[in-house]
Structures are given as C-alpha cells and as structure tokens.
Amino acid sequence: MSQPEKTYSISVENLTKKFDDFVAVDKITFNVQKGEIFGFLGANGAGKTTAMRMLIGVLEPTSGKGQVAGYDIFKNSRKLKKHIGYMSQKFSLYDDLTAKENMRFFGGIYGLTNKEISSRTKELLTHFGMEHIEKERVSSLPLGWKQKLAFCTALMHKPDVVFLDEPTSGVDPSIRRQFWEMIYETAEGGVTVLVTTHNMDEAEYCHRISMMVAGKMITVDTPQNLKDKYKLETMGEVFLHLARGYEKEHAITAS
Amino acid sequence: MTPISAENIVMNYGKVKALDAVSLKVEKGELFGLIGPDGAGKTSLIKILGTLLLANSGTAEIEGMDVVKQYQNIRRQIGYMPGKFSLYQDLTVEENLNFYASIFGTTLEENYDLIKDIYKQIEPFKKRRAGKLSGGMKQKLALSCALIHKPKVLFLDEPTRGVDPVSRQDLWDMLQSLKKDNITILVSTAYMEEALLCDRISLMDHGKILATNSPDGLIANFDKPLYAIRSGNSFNIIKKLKAYKHANSVYPFGDWVHYTDKRDTIDPLEIKTYLENNDTPNVEIKQIKASVEDCYMSLTSKNQNYEPA
C-alpha cells in the first residue's frame, strides 16, 4: 500500500469516539503542520486524553477520519506507532535503570541497532546538555530532570510527531522552562509537537492552541489571535472565558 | 494560641533529606500557602503537621497540642484533604458525607451551614457514586468531607494538581469563602501564581523554606530591576538574550521574556539596540514588577543545574 500524502503532520476530520451512549470526542476537526507546536487545551474530562489516544493509535475511533505522520489512524495504527513519540502523563521511565540504560531500553523497543542506540543517546544527551546525568539512576533525579529524560527517550527513534501529555505538571519553574526550550529546539528541527497542559503560561508558548469543552473542539487559533479576539490579556483569561461561556451557552451541568 | 507552629522539623527518607530544619508559624484565620515543585517537601510537612507522619526530629504543635503526644486530640480538630482522591468511590456523595460525619460524631445537618456553599453545587448529584463524579465535583465532595466536623485547621495537599484553570479558580474561591468562618488553612501548590491568592506563603525547595512572607512583601524584596521583552518569535529572543554578555537571567513568561542584567543600572535602549543588531526586529521592552515565580527562580537559580551527588 502506498503511503498517503504528507501535507500535514496531523490531519483530523470529524473524529468521534463514543463509549456506549457517551460521546467522549465529538466530531473534532483540525490540522497540524510539520514543525508546529500545537497546544491541546481543555477542562478535565473534556476529551483530550481520549482524542490523544486515538491519534497515537491505541484507541480505535468510532467514526471520522484521521492521519498522523502520513498514516491512517484506522488502517495503519501499527505503522503509525513507529513514527511517533509519546510521553505519558504518568512518569514512564524505569527508576532502577540509569538515564543511559533507559534510553537504550526504549531505543531497543523501537528496533534501533546497538550502533544507532549509542550514537542517538550521545547525540540527544549532548544536544540537551544532559551528559552528566547519563550514569545516574533515574530514581535519584528530580522530577524535572526525569521529564527531560523521558522527552529524550520519546525522541530516540527520530519520530515525525511527538505527543506530550502534561509533561511539566509539578516541575520546578526554571526546569520547566528548560523543558520548553527543548520543545522549541525539537520543533525547529522539523518535529511536530502536540502538548497538553493546564498551565496557561505554557499555552502562550505554543504556535497554535486548540480548546476542547465537553468533547467538542470549540476553537483552534494562535494565542495572540485569541487574546485579540476576546480583548483579553492572557491565555488564562481566554481559557476561563471560553470554558465558562461555552458551559453557560449550552447549559452544561457538571457531569 | 497559634494554630500551626513547627520548629526545626527534619525528615529523612534514607539519604534523601525531605525536610531540612523547617520552621513555620501560621496565624489564626490565615490562608497560608506552601509553594514549590514536586520534591520540595510540601507533602511531608503537611503529613507531619497532620499527625500522619513522624518527623526524625523537631517539634510541631497544632492549636497548642503536640503532634506526637496529642495526635488523637489534634485529629478531631483538623481537616485533611490529601493530594490523591481518597473517598469511597462506591459510596454515593451523600453516603460519603454521612460516613465522615459519623466518624466525627456529628451529622450533615448539624454543620450544614459551614459546607453549604460548596455542597449545594454537588447536592443535585447526591445519589451519584463518588467514583462517577467529574474531577471538579470530586474535589468539592472531598472538601465538604474535610469540613464536615467543623475543623479549626484545614490542610490541603495540592488540591489544584492536574486540575484545569476553571476548576482551579472554583477551588480558590471556595477557600477564600472559608476565611469568613475563621478557619486556618494550610494549602500546598506547585502553581506559583496561586501564591497571590494566599495571605502569606513559604517558598520551598529541596526540603528547605527559602522565604516566608506575604506575596506583596516577597515581591518587594526582589532586588534587581526586571524587564519584560518581546519581539514575536520567543525562542529567537531567548537565545539572543542568553548570548548577551550582560545577561543575568532570561526566563520566558507567556509571550514575554523576563530579563535581569548583571549590572546594577542599565539603559533598556541598549538591550533593544543589541537585539535589533542581531536579527531581532520590533523589540518591545518595559520595566515590570516581579511575579512570585520570578522571586522563586531568583532564589533557586543556583539549583537549576542538577549536580549528581
């Protein structure tokens, strides 16, 4: 089968997921360009994680269309997984292995050769100024450094798209900024980044953001356009305005 | 009587110093914040004060009672909301409340006034099982349960962790509203901007308290002129400023970059010129007041680079 055309890194049309009667994700449509940092915002329970699980090929959508890194999320979810990186909300490294051993492990999972693993590990750790932790056991690292390392392991196999699920929650403020500089650099290298966060300061760092409320994607735009549109100063205010406004308009009671 | 006081609390987990001689005093009716990232020691301190964990050394009193010797009396007078949702998922909203009320020998009706502002928001769902509630509603239930026995002191461990901005604001509104009942509240958070919603705060890092002050007092102590700079592409401006020979600190804040200089006095025009000579057009620069996050990063700047032990 020929590989589909790669216009966008992520392209989704009317993507829907139902669990019995409950519509967790309701006809969302959006495109993300190569090298873009795309913020995936929304209230708790709005459907972000469900949407992300469909995009990384671990949850079958109910209906709609979707392509990630050029692969159809319905038909090619296996192949798709080789071309994406994923950093889960829950810390996902092995505590008893060293930083380097973790990278070796994840490189192995993605089928890299020993030679590739060595050179890629060195390349990433050097590039992000982390060589000095290579022999450290993960359990001894502060959370922020663990997250930086987890990001490196998600990049081992040179994915086209990386998905980051609340990567900086609870992380020290300066390390959090170092983490975002890693994201910027990675995106400048042509990797597409989709990131969820509840930190509205970080929403401002994204090229574009989407906002989900009750399973629907109610807006996709640049942070600046959104602030201009609603005449608000910060993304935090925009978030409150959109989430509260939508809830009122559609009379959503917390459920 | 001081509602919360701690002196030289030390807590070690093996080689890790979770709390390194921490002292703290919280006054009656204060909304007091412990601010710091994961691993700062917030949870350990709250557990020690809440009589759930024994410190290696140091002393602490709640309402004048010793946390070790008088823990049973203390427990009747404090409310505690742990970081993880810990109510019974298989009981309904109402059953959970009645359960906690009965443990403390009281009833929902008896203390209804105290919790009504919070409880009435979830009352329409009182027959629903706790496990089926949304995140925001679970929190309202957990807070109601922590308040059901009319505690004098309330401990909340990272109630806004992983919570979206709307529910976060709801929670802070609820805490503010409890102040009228003169409840002393100790709350922890990793969100620096939430410090502004507290009367006083302690900034914590690696088991130490770096500063204790009112948010305004803390900000007034920020000792360097602080500038906000932007020019469209943030990553570019961060790189350029970091390469500037006089740069002391460069931190992105939303679409601005906060900058301090190594020199005591500077001309902002000079920075603007430097940037514009280095492919960074349309520079805006203004002097600003520090935020709590600026203060925190300034106090912890030496710890930014992890040094293996």
Side-chain angles (χ1 to χ4, degrees), chain B residues 93-120:
Chain B
V93 166
E94 202 174 31
E95 285 165 347
N96 265 297
L97 268 168
N98 287 329
F99 175 74
Y100 281 94
S102 69
I103 284 185
F104 288 103
T106 181
T107 59
L108 174 56
E109 292 71 32
E110 204 171 317
N111 292 319
Y112 189 76
D113 271 358
L114 182 65
I115 63 163
K116 88 173 168 222
D117 289 342
I118 301 159
Y119 182 57
K120 73 184 178 203

PDB file of all heavy atoms in Angstrom, chain B residues 93-120:
ATOM      1  N   VAL B  93     -22.388  10.336  46.995  1.00  0.00           N
ATOM      2  CA  VAL B  93     -21.988  11.622  47.546  1.00  0.00           C
ATOM      3  C   VAL B  93     -22.510  11.749  48.987  1.00  0.00           C
ATOM      4  O   VAL B  93     -21.771  12.035  49.927  1.00  0.00           O
ATOM      5  CB  VAL B  93     -22.554  12.760  46.667  1.00  0.00           C
ATOM      6  CG1 VAL B  93     -22.456  14.104  47.368  1.00  0.00           C
ATOM      7  CG2 VAL B  93     -21.826  12.796  45.324  1.00  0.00           C
ATOM      8  N   GLU B  94     -23.792  11.484  49.140  1.00  0.00           N
ATOM      9  CA  GLU B  94     -24.438  11.612  50.433  1.00  0.00           C
ATOM     10  C   GLU B  94     -23.880  10.607  51.447  1.00  0.00           C
ATOM     11  O   GLU B  94     -23.623  10.942  52.609  1.00  0.00           O
ATOM     12  CB  GLU B  94     -25.932  11.360  50.226  1.00  0.00           C
ATOM     13  CG  GLU B  94     -26.822  11.926  51.287  1.00  0.00           C
ATOM     14  CD  GLU B  94     -28.285  11.726  50.893  1.00  0.00           C
ATOM     15  OE1 GLU B  94     -28.597  10.719  50.208  1.00  0.00           O
ATOM     16  OE2 GLU B  94     -29.109  12.571  51.271  1.00  0.00           O
ATOM     17  N   GLU B  95     -23.673   9.378  50.996  1.00  0.00           N
ATOM     18  CA  GLU B  95     -23.155   8.342  51.899  1.00  0.00           C
ATOM     19  C   GLU B  95     -21.750   8.685  52.387  1.00  0.00           C
ATOM     20  O   GLU B  95     -21.424   8.471  53.557  1.00  0.00           O
ATOM     21  CB  GLU B  95     -23.149   6.982  51.191  1.00  0.00           C
ATOM     22  CG  GLU B  95     -24.538   6.372  51.063  1.00  0.00           C
ATOM     23  CD  GLU B  95     -24.606   5.217  50.066  1.00  0.00           C
ATOM     24  OE1 GLU B  95     -23.646   5.035  49.279  1.00  0.00           O
ATOM     25  OE2 GLU B  95     -25.624   4.519  50.055  1.00  0.00           O
ATOM     26  N   ASN B  96     -20.921   9.207  51.491  1.00  0.00           N
ATOM     27  CA  ASN B  96     -19.577   9.612  51.902  1.00  0.00           C
ATOM     28  C   ASN B  96     -19.645  10.678  52.988  1.00  0.00           C
ATOM     29  O   ASN B  96     -18.948  10.589  54.006  1.00  0.00           O
ATOM     30  CB  ASN B  96     -18.788  10.154  50.708  1.00  0.00           C
ATOM     31  CG  ASN B  96     -17.925   9.104  50.039  1.00  0.00           C
ATOM     32  OD1 ASN B  96     -17.001   8.571  50.650  1.00  0.00           O
ATOM     33  ND2 ASN B  96     -18.244   8.773  48.801  1.00  0.00           N
ATOM     34  N   LEU B  97     -20.483  11.670  52.773  1.00  0.00           N
ATOM     35  CA  LEU B  97     -20.600  12.757  53.754  1.00  0.00           C
ATOM     36  C   LEU B  97     -21.105  12.239  55.090  1.00  0.00           C
ATOM     37  O   LEU B  97     -20.544  12.572  56.142  1.00  0.00           O
ATOM     38  CB  LEU B  97     -21.563  13.825  53.227  1.00  0.00           C
ATOM     39  CG  LEU B  97     -20.918  14.946  52.448  1.00  0.00           C
ATOM     40  CD1 LEU B  97     -21.981  15.770  51.746  1.00  0.00           C
ATOM     41  CD2 LEU B  97     -20.082  15.841  53.366  1.00  0.00           C
ATOM     42  N   ASN B  98     -22.134  11.410  55.051  1.00  0.00           N
ATOM     43  CA  ASN B  98     -22.670  10.863  56.296  1.00  0.00           C
ATOM     44  C   ASN B  98     -21.645   9.991  57.014  1.00  0.00           C
ATOM     45  O   ASN B  98     -21.548  10.006  58.240  1.00  0.00           O
ATOM     46  CB  ASN B  98     -23.953  10.065  56.032  1.00  0.00           C
ATOM     47  CG  ASN B  98     -25.112  10.989  55.717  1.00  0.00           C
ATOM     48  OD1 ASN B  98     -25.164  12.126  56.211  1.00  0.00           O
ATOM     49  ND2 ASN B  98     -26.027  10.531  54.876  1.00  0.00           N
ATOM     50  N   PHE B  99     -20.876   9.269  56.216  1.00  0.00           N
ATOM     51  CA  PHE B  99     -19.837   8.416  56.802  1.00  0.00           C
ATOM     52  C   PHE B  99     -18.813   9.261  57.571  1.00  0.00           C
ATOM     53  O   PHE B  99     -18.508   8.992  58.727  1.00  0.00           O
ATOM     54  CB  PHE B  99     -19.159   7.612  55.698  1.00  0.00           C
ATOM     55  CG  PHE B  99     -17.993   6.797  56.166  1.00  0.00           C
ATOM     56  CD1 PHE B  99     -18.181   5.644  56.910  1.00  0.00           C
ATOM     57  CD2 PHE B  99     -16.684   7.199  55.894  1.00  0.00           C
ATOM     58  CE1 PHE B  99     -17.107   4.897  57.373  1.00  0.00           C
ATOM     59  CE2 PHE B  99     -15.601   6.459  56.347  1.00  0.00           C
ATOM     60  CZ  PHE B  99     -15.816   5.298  57.083  1.00  0.00           C
ATOM     61  N   TYR B 100     -18.308  10.288  56.914  1.00  0.00           N
ATOM     62  CA  TYR B 100     -17.304  11.126  57.588  1.00  0.00           C
ATOM     63  C   TYR B 100     -17.903  11.876  58.771  1.00  0.00           C
ATOM     64  O   TYR B 100     -17.245  12.061  59.800  1.00  0.00           O
ATOM     65  CB  TYR B 100     -16.629  12.076  56.595  1.00  0.00           C
ATOM     66  CG  TYR B 100     -15.583  11.347  55.792  1.00  0.00           C
ATOM     67  CD1 TYR B 100     -15.891  10.796  54.553  1.00  0.00           C
ATOM     68  CD2 TYR B 100     -14.316  11.143  56.313  1.00  0.00           C
ATOM     69  CE1 TYR B 100     -14.953  10.066  53.837  1.00  0.00           C
ATOM     70  CE2 TYR B 100     -13.368  10.414  55.607  1.00  0.00           C
ATOM     71  CZ  TYR B 100     -13.690   9.887  54.364  1.00  0.00           C
ATOM     72  OH  TYR B 100     -12.761   9.157  53.678  1.00  0.00           O
ATOM     73  N   ALA B 101     -19.146  12.281  58.642  1.00  0.00           N
ATOM     74  CA  ALA B 101     -19.803  12.961  59.755  1.00  0.00           C
ATOM     75  C   ALA B 101     -19.899  12.013  60.953  1.00  0.00           C
ATOM     76  O   ALA B 101     -19.585  12.389  62.087  1.00  0.00           O
ATOM     77  CB  ALA B 101     -21.183  13.446  59.333  1.00  0.00           C
ATOM     78  N   SER B 102     -20.276  10.767  60.693  1.00  0.00           N
ATOM     79  CA  SER B 102     -20.477   9.833  61.805  1.00  0.00           C
ATOM     80  C   SER B 102     -19.157   9.486  62.484  1.00  0.00           C
ATOM     81  O   SER B 102     -19.106   9.289  63.693  1.00  0.00           O
ATOM     82  CB  SER B 102     -21.209   8.573  61.329  1.00  0.00           C
ATOM     83  OG  SER B 102     -20.363   7.836  60.486  1.00  0.00           O
ATOM     84  N   ILE B 103     -18.077   9.425  61.713  1.00  0.00           N
ATOM     85  CA  ILE B 103     -16.757   9.162  62.312  1.00  0.00           C
ATOM     86  C   ILE B 103     -16.435  10.223  63.365  1.00  0.00           C
ATOM     87  O   ILE B 103     -15.858   9.930  64.408  1.00  0.00           O
ATOM     88  CB  ILE B 103     -15.655   9.159  61.226  1.00  0.00           C
ATOM     89  CG1 ILE B 103     -15.722   7.874  60.438  1.00  0.00           C
ATOM     90  CG2 ILE B 103     -14.282   9.338  61.842  1.00  0.00           C
ATOM     91  CD1 ILE B 103     -14.620   7.732  59.430  1.00  0.00           C
ATOM     92  N   PHE B 104     -16.819  11.445  63.066  1.00  0.00           N
ATOM     93  CA  PHE B 104     -16.518  12.540  63.995  1.00  0.00           C
ATOM     94  C   PHE B 104     -17.686  12.806  64.947  1.00  0.00           C
ATOM     95  O   PHE B 104     -17.729  13.837  65.609  1.00  0.00           O
ATOM     96  CB  PHE B 104     -16.175  13.816  63.215  1.00  0.00           C
ATOM     97  CG  PHE B 104     -14.834  13.739  62.555  1.00  0.00           C
ATOM     98  CD1 PHE B 104     -14.715  13.501  61.201  1.00  0.00           C
ATOM     99  CD2 PHE B 104     -13.670  13.892  63.312  1.00  0.00           C
ATOM    100  CE1 PHE B 104     -13.461  13.421  60.597  1.00  0.00           C
ATOM    101  CE2 PHE B 104     -12.424  13.813  62.719  1.00  0.00           C
ATOM    102  CZ  PHE B 104     -12.310  13.571  61.350  1.00  0.00           C
ATOM    103  N   GLY B 105     -18.649  11.906  64.974  1.00  0.00           N
ATOM    104  CA  GLY B 105     -19.763  12.024  65.909  1.00  0.00           C
ATOM    105  C   GLY B 105     -20.661  13.212  65.638  1.00  0.00           C
ATOM    106  O   GLY B 105     -21.224  13.809  66.561  1.00  0.00           O
ATOM    107  N   THR B 106     -20.803  13.576  64.373  1.00  0.00           N
ATOM    108  CA  THR B 106     -21.681  14.690  64.048  1.00  0.00           C
ATOM    109  C   THR B 106     -22.591  14.279  62.885  1.00  0.00           C
ATOM    110  O   THR B 106     -22.599  13.108  62.486  1.00  0.00           O
ATOM    111  CB  THR B 106     -20.848  15.953  63.717  1.00  0.00           C
ATOM    112  OG1 THR B 106     -21.737  17.025  63.430  1.00  0.00           O
ATOM    113  CG2 THR B 106     -19.926  15.731  62.537  1.00  0.00           C
ATOM    114  N   THR B 107     -23.368  15.211  62.409  1.00  0.00           N
ATOM    115  CA  THR B 107     -24.252  14.911  61.281  1.00  0.00           C
ATOM    116  C   THR B 107     -24.131  16.003  60.230  1.00  0.00           C
ATOM    117  O   THR B 107     -23.664  17.110  60.514  1.00  0.00           O
ATOM    118  CB  THR B 107     -25.732  14.873  61.719  1.00  0.00           C
ATOM    119  OG1 THR B 107     -26.051  16.148  62.282  1.00  0.00           O
ATOM    120  CG2 THR B 107     -25.996  13.770  62.716  1.00  0.00           C
ATOM    121  N   LEU B 108     -24.560  15.667  59.038  1.00  0.00           N
ATOM    122  CA  LEU B 108     -24.548  16.626  57.940  1.00  0.00           C
ATOM    123  C   LEU B 108     -25.382  17.858  58.303  1.00  0.00           C
ATOM    124  O   LEU B 108     -24.977  18.997  58.069  1.00  0.00           O
ATOM    125  CB  LEU B 108     -25.099  15.945  56.681  1.00  0.00           C
ATOM    126  CG  LEU B 108     -25.329  16.775  55.421  1.00  0.00           C
ATOM    127  CD1 LEU B 108     -24.053  17.491  54.993  1.00  0.00           C
ATOM    128  CD2 LEU B 108     -25.814  15.886  54.279  1.00  0.00           C
ATOM    129  N   GLU B 109     -26.546  17.616  58.923  1.00  0.00           N
ATOM    130  CA  GLU B 109     -27.461  18.713  59.271  1.00  0.00           C
ATOM    131  C   GLU B 109     -26.803  19.690  60.253  1.00  0.00           C
ATOM    132  O   GLU B 109     -26.930  20.905  60.113  1.00  0.00           O
ATOM    133  CB  GLU B 109     -28.761  18.178  59.881  1.00  0.00           C
ATOM    134  CG  GLU B 109     -29.646  17.395  58.918  1.00  0.00           C
ATOM    135  CD  GLU B 109     -29.078  16.020  58.549  1.00  0.00           C
ATOM    136  OE1 GLU B 109     -28.394  15.401  59.406  1.00  0.00           O
ATOM    137  OE2 GLU B 109     -29.286  15.570  57.408  1.00  0.00           O
ATOM    138  N   GLU B 110     -26.085  19.125  61.217  1.00  0.00           N
ATOM    139  CA  GLU B 110     -25.500  19.949  62.278  1.00  0.00           C
ATOM    140  C   GLU B 110     -24.528  20.999  61.740  1.00  0.00           C
ATOM    141  O   GLU B 110     -24.497  22.129  62.208  1.00  0.00           O
ATOM    142  CB  GLU B 110     -24.767  19.036  63.267  1.00  0.00           C
ATOM    143  CG  GLU B 110     -24.631  19.640  64.648  1.00  0.00           C
ATOM    144  CD  GLU B 110     -24.099  18.596  65.623  1.00  0.00           C
ATOM    145  OE1 GLU B 110     -24.573  17.439  65.574  1.00  0.00           O
ATOM    146  OE2 GLU B 110     -23.207  18.939  66.400  1.00  0.00           O
ATOM    147  N   ASN B 111     -23.740  20.619  60.761  1.00  0.00           N
ATOM    148  CA  ASN B 111     -22.732  21.553  60.242  1.00  0.00           C
ATOM    149  C   ASN B 111     -23.029  22.006  58.819  1.00  0.00           C
ATOM    150  O   ASN B 111     -22.144  22.416  58.086  1.00  0.00           O
ATOM    151  CB  ASN B 111     -21.349  20.907  60.305  1.00  0.00           C
ATOM    152  CG  ASN B 111     -20.893  20.725  61.725  1.00  0.00           C
ATOM    153  OD1 ASN B 111     -21.095  21.610  62.566  1.00  0.00           O
ATOM    154  ND2 ASN B 111     -20.318  19.585  62.023  1.00  0.00           N
ATOM    155  N   TYR B 112     -24.284  21.907  58.447  1.00  0.00           N
ATOM    156  CA  TYR B 112     -24.650  22.205  57.065  1.00  0.00           C
ATOM    157  C   TYR B 112     -24.230  23.613  56.646  1.00  0.00           C
ATOM    158  O   TYR B 112     -23.771  23.829  55.526  1.00  0.00           O
ATOM    159  CB  TYR B 112     -26.163  22.015  56.851  1.00  0.00           C
ATOM    160  CG  TYR B 112     -26.561  22.108  55.398  1.00  0.00           C
ATOM    161  CD1 TYR B 112     -26.313  21.056  54.524  1.00  0.00           C
ATOM    162  CD2 TYR B 112     -27.173  23.250  54.893  1.00  0.00           C
ATOM    163  CE1 TYR B 112     -26.659  21.133  53.192  1.00  0.00           C
ATOM    164  CE2 TYR B 112     -27.520  23.344  53.548  1.00  0.00           C
ATOM    165  CZ  TYR B 112     -27.264  22.285  52.701  1.00  0.00           C
ATOM    166  OH  TYR B 112     -27.591  22.372  51.375  1.00  0.00           O
ATOM    167  N   ASP B 113     -24.372  24.559  57.570  1.00  0.00           N
ATOM    168  CA  ASP B 113     -24.042  25.952  57.260  1.00  0.00           C
ATOM    169  C   ASP B 113     -22.621  26.131  56.739  1.00  0.00           C
ATOM    170  O   ASP B 113     -22.380  26.898  55.822  1.00  0.00           O
ATOM    171  CB  ASP B 113     -24.215  26.828  58.510  1.00  0.00           C
ATOM    172  CG  ASP B 113     -25.635  27.342  58.588  1.00  0.00           C
ATOM    173  OD1 ASP B 113     -26.404  27.036  57.650  1.00  0.00           O
ATOM    174  OD2 ASP B 113     -25.964  28.028  59.570  1.00  0.00           O
ATOM    175  N   LEU B 114     -21.696  25.417  57.378  1.00  0.00           N
ATOM    176  CA  LEU B 114     -20.289  25.581  57.024  1.00  0.00           C
ATOM    177  C   LEU B 114     -20.012  25.101  55.595  1.00  0.00           C
ATOM    178  O   LEU B 114     -19.234  25.723  54.874  1.00  0.00           O
ATOM    179  CB  LEU B 114     -19.422  24.803  58.023  1.00  0.00           C
ATOM    180  CG  LEU B 114     -17.925  24.909  57.823  1.00  0.00           C
ATOM    181  CD1 LEU B 114     -17.439  26.333  58.052  1.00  0.00           C
ATOM    182  CD2 LEU B 114     -17.192  23.966  58.760  1.00  0.00           C
ATOM    183  N   ILE B 115     -20.634  24.001  55.219  1.00  0.00           N
ATOM    184  CA  ILE B 115     -20.298  23.439  53.906  1.00  0.00           C
ATOM    185  C   ILE B 115     -21.304  23.794  52.826  1.00  0.00           C
ATOM    186  O   ILE B 115     -21.119  23.442  51.667  1.00  0.00           O
ATOM    187  CB  ILE B 115     -20.140  21.899  53.964  1.00  0.00           C
ATOM    188  CG1 ILE B 115     -21.472  21.227  54.352  1.00  0.00           C
ATOM    189  CG2 ILE B 115     -19.028  21.479  54.902  1.00  0.00           C
ATOM    190  CD1 ILE B 115     -21.479  19.752  54.013  1.00  0.00           C
ATOM    191  N   LYS B 116     -22.362  24.510  53.187  1.00  0.00           N
ATOM    192  CA  LYS B 116     -23.471  24.626  52.215  1.00  0.00           C
ATOM    193  C   LYS B 116     -23.058  25.292  50.897  1.00  0.00           C
ATOM    194  O   LYS B 116     -23.494  24.856  49.831  1.00  0.00           O
ATOM    195  CB  LYS B 116     -24.690  25.308  52.855  1.00  0.00           C
ATOM    196  CG  LYS B 116     -24.708  26.785  52.773  1.00  0.00           C
ATOM    197  CD  LYS B 116     -26.010  27.369  53.265  1.00  0.00           C
ATOM    198  CE  LYS B 116     -25.777  28.847  53.407  1.00  0.00           C
ATOM    199  NZ  LYS B 116     -26.307  29.477  54.562  1.00  0.00           N
ATOM    200  N   ASP B 117     -22.193  26.317  50.954  1.00  0.00           N
ATOM    201  CA  ASP B 117     -21.776  26.981  49.706  1.00  0.00           C
ATOM    202  C   ASP B 117     -21.109  26.008  48.739  1.00  0.00           C
ATOM    203  O   ASP B 117     -21.252  26.110  47.528  1.00  0.00           O
ATOM    204  CB  ASP B 117     -20.789  28.121  50.005  1.00  0.00           C
ATOM    205  CG  ASP B 117     -21.492  29.284  50.682  1.00  0.00           C
ATOM    206  OD1 ASP B 117     -22.742  29.336  50.599  1.00  0.00           O
ATOM    207  OD2 ASP B 117     -20.806  30.121  51.299  1.00  0.00           O
ATOM    208  N   ILE B 118     -20.346  25.082  49.309  1.00  0.00           N
ATOM    209  CA  ILE B 118     -19.641  24.111  48.475  1.00  0.00           C
ATOM    210  C   ILE B 118     -20.574  22.945  48.135  1.00  0.00           C
ATOM    211  O   ILE B 118     -20.695  22.541  46.983  1.00  0.00           O
ATOM    212  CB  ILE B 118     -18.385  23.589  49.210  1.00  0.00           C
ATOM    213  CG1 ILE B 118     -17.459  24.765  49.526  1.00  0.00           C
ATOM    214  CG2 ILE B 118     -17.670  22.542  48.390  1.00  0.00           C
ATOM    215  CD1 ILE B 118     -16.478  24.488  50.636  1.00  0.00           C
ATOM    216  N   TYR B 119     -21.264  22.443  49.170  1.00  0.00           N
ATOM    217  CA  TYR B 119     -22.069  21.237  48.994  1.00  0.00           C
ATOM    218  C   TYR B 119     -23.252  21.455  48.058  1.00  0.00           C
ATOM    219  O   TYR B 119     -23.613  20.563  47.294  1.00  0.00           O
ATOM    220  CB  TYR B 119     -22.532  20.710  50.351  1.00  0.00           C
ATOM    221  CG  TYR B 119     -23.341  19.438  50.255  1.00  0.00           C
ATOM    222  CD1 TYR B 119     -22.809  18.307  49.628  1.00  0.00           C
ATOM    223  CD2 TYR B 119     -24.633  19.367  50.761  1.00  0.00           C
ATOM    224  CE1 TYR B 119     -23.548  17.142  49.522  1.00  0.00           C
ATOM    225  CE2 TYR B 119     -25.382  18.200  50.648  1.00  0.00           C
ATOM    226  CZ  TYR B 119     -24.832  17.091  50.026  1.00  0.00           C
ATOM    227  OH  TYR B 119     -25.567  15.951  49.904  1.00  0.00           O
ATOM    228  N   LYS B 120     -23.830  22.658  48.104  1.00  0.00           N
ATOM    229  CA  LYS B 120     -25.032  22.838  47.271  1.00  0.00           C
ATOM    230  C   LYS B 120     -24.718  22.697  45.768  1.00  0.00           C
ATOM    231  O   LYS B 120     -25.598  22.364  44.988  1.00  0.00           O
ATOM    232  CB  LYS B 120     -25.738  24.168  47.587  1.00  0.00           C
ATOM    233  CG  LYS B 120     -25.054  25.395  47.097  1.00  0.00           C
ATOM    234  CD  LYS B 120     -25.803  26.643  47.550  1.00  0.00           C
ATOM    235  CE  LYS B 120     -25.037  27.858  47.080  1.00  0.00           C
ATOM    236  NZ  LYS B 120     -25.292  29.070  47.846  1.00  0.00           N
TER     237      LYS B 120
END
